[in-house]
Amino acid sequence: MATAPAVDKPPVTVVETAVTRPRTGIRKYWHLYVAISPFYLLFLAFGLVPVGFSLWVSFHRWDGLGSMEWAGLSQYRYLLSDSDFWGSVGNTIVIWSLATFPMIFLALVTAVMLNSAVRFKNVYRFAYFLPSVTSIVAVAIIFGSVFSTNFGLVNALLQAIGLDQVAWLNTPWGIKAAIATLMTWQWTGYNAIIFLAGLQTIPGELYEAARVDGAGTVQTFFRITLPLMRPVLLFVLVISTVTGLQSFSEPQVLLQTTANESTFSGGPDHAGRTMVLYFFQQTFDNNDFGYGAAVAWGIFLVVVLFSIINWRLVQRRGEE
C-alpha cells in the first residue's frame, strides 16, 4: 500500500513569531496609559513632590530664600511644647464642633424634606446647594456685616426682642460662633444633597411594610432610615471633619478687619486663629518655612486622628 510522501513544513522564522505573538501588558494598552498619564504627571508635579519637599523642609531651618540648615527633630519637639499651636488646635476643635453637628442635623432634616417634596424639587435642590459653590470670600464679607456690632442684622434682631447687643467679632466666643455659623450655612446644602442621594437608595417597600405594621414617622426614621443611612452618615462626618479642621478662608476674611497683629492673627485674643491660620502666620508672616512645614504635618496628624475617631465611633454604633 502506497503512502503519501511527507511534506516538510517551512521553519518558523523569528519575524513570523514576533508578528503572531499577542501583545500584552503595557505594549498592548500603551495608548490607554498615555490617555491617563496627564493626571498622574500633574499629581506628581503638584501633589506628591510638594508633599515630599514639605517633609524634607520640616527638618530644616529655612527662610524661603537662603540656604537650608539641618535642624533634625528640634522643630517637632518645639511644636509639642508650642502653646500657640495647641491654642489654635483648641480653637479649631471648638469651631468644628459648633459647626459640624448642627450642620449634619440640618442637612439630614433638609434631605428628608426634599425627599418628600412633590413639586419644585429641582428648585429646592439648587437653592440649598448654591451656598457651597458661592465664593467663600464674598460670603465671609457679607457675614462680617451681618455680625457687625453696631449695624449688624443679628444685633438688630436681638434689640428687636429686647436683648442687648453682642460684640460678635470682638469676643472669643462671639468669634467662634460667627465662624461656626458661616461654616454651617456654607456646607448644609452640600451635605443635604449627599443625604438625599442616600435616602433615594432606600427601597420604598420598607416604609410601606413599616406603615402596615403600625410604625409612626419617628419610629420609621430611627429604625429604618438612620440604620440604612449609616454609610452615608460616615462619609459626611469624615468629609466634614477633614474640611472643618482645615478652615482658613472663613476666619481669615471674617476677622481681617479686627486683627490686631497680622492678617493671620485670628482676631482679639487669637480666638479665631485656626490651625491652618497659624500655619500661614508662621510661614508667610514670620518667614519660617521650616517650622511652618512642621506645623503643616502636625495639622495632618490631627486631622487623621479625628477622622479615625469619628470613623470608629460610627462603626461601633453600627455593630451595636
Side-chain angles (χ1 to χ4, degrees):
M1 183 176 180
T3 59
V7 179
D8 295 334
K9 294 183 180 180
V12 179
T13 62
V14 177
V15 176
E16 291 176 346
T17 303
V19 172
T20 57
R21 181 183 299 168
R23 294 181 297 174
T24 58
I26 297 178
R27 292 182 58 194
K28 182 177 182 180
Y29 301 105
W30 67 269
H31 54 288
L32 299 179
Y33 289 108
V34 171
I36 64 175
S37 62
F39 167 80
Y40 293 98
L41 293 176
L42 291 175
F43 174 75
L44 179 66
F46 299 101
L48 192 60
V49 171
V51 169
F53 181 71
S54 69
L55 181 61
W56 173 255
V57 171
S58 67
F59 295 103
H60 295 77
R61 294 184 179 90
W62 188 41
D63 60 359
L65 295 175
S67 59
M68 294 184 181
E69 178 185 351
W70 177 258
L73 297 175
S74 61
Q75 307 205 93
Y76 287 99
R77 286 194 292 266
Y78 178 76
L79 180 66
L80 294 177
S81 60
D82 187 0
S83 58
D84 290 335
F85 171 72
W86 291 110
S88 68
V89 173
N91 292 336
T92 305
I93 294 175
V94 171
I95 294 172
W96 169 79
S97 302
L98 293 176
T100 300
F101 297 108
M103 178 267 297
I104 291 179
F105 172 76
L106 293 174
L108 187 57
V109 172
T110 302
V112 172
M113 294 173 61
L114 290 175
N115 192 43
S116 60
V118 179
R119 303 177 59 185
F120 306 112
K121 284 186 177 181
N122 294 330
V123 176
Y124 295 143
R125 294 174 186 176
F126 172 78
Y128 282 108
F129 190 75
L130 186 62
S132 61
V133 296
T134 305
S135 172
I136 186 59
V137 176
V139 173
I141 293 175
I142 294 174
F143 267 74
S145 301
V146 171
F147 285 96
S148 175
T149 302
N150 297 323
F151 307 102
L153 178 61
V154 176
N155 279 335
L157 294 176
L158 291 177
Q159 286 185 319
I161 60 177
L163 299 178
D164 296 331
Q165 291 184 343
V166 177
W168 295 101
L169 302 181
N170 291 285
T171 58
W173 279 102
I175 289 174
K176 292 180 175 62
I179 298 174
T181 303
L182 170 58
M183 295 172 61
T184 301
W185 181 86
Q186 182 187 8
W187 293 109
T188 296
Y190 173 84
N191 292 311
I193 298 299
I194 297 178
F195 281 135
L196 178 61
L199 288 173
Q200 292 178 344
T201 61
I202 300 176
E205 293 81 3
L206 296 178
Y207 294 107
E208 295 178 2
R211 284 193 293 267
V212 171
D213 292 338
T217 304
V218 177
Q219 290 179 324
T220 302
F221 179 78
F222 284 100
R223 297 297 181 88
I224 296 178
T225 305
L226 274 185
L228 295 179
M229 287 285 292
R230 185 169 287 110
V232 182
L233 182 62
L234 174 61
F235 171 79
V236 170
L237 186 59
V238 172
I239 293 299
S240 300
T241 300
V242 173
T243 56
L245 294 179
Q246 298 183 73
S247 57
F248 167 73
S249 300
E250 298 88 348
Q252 196 270 334
V253 178
L254 191 63
L255 302 173
Q256 63 177 348
T257 57
T258 62
N260 295 326
E261 297 180 1
S262 69
T263 307
F264 309 112
S265 66
D269 297 329
H270 310 299
R273 185 169 62 186
T274 60
M275 293 187 295
V276 179
L277 210 59
Y278 182 67
F279 156 73
F280 268 78
Q281 184 184 40
Q282 294 300 313
T283 305
F284 299 107
D285 272 2
N286 299 341
N287 292 325
D288 193 349
F289 285 79
Y291 185 64
V295 171
W297 281 96
I299 295 172
F300 170 75
L301 294 178
V302 172
V303 172
V304 170
L305 177 62
F306 270 82
S307 299
I308 293 175
I309 291 174
N310 291 330
W311 180 76
R312 290 298 301 169
L313 288 176
V314 175
Q315 287 292 99
R316 183 174 297 177
R317 290 189 177 183
E319 294 174 357
E320 292 175 356

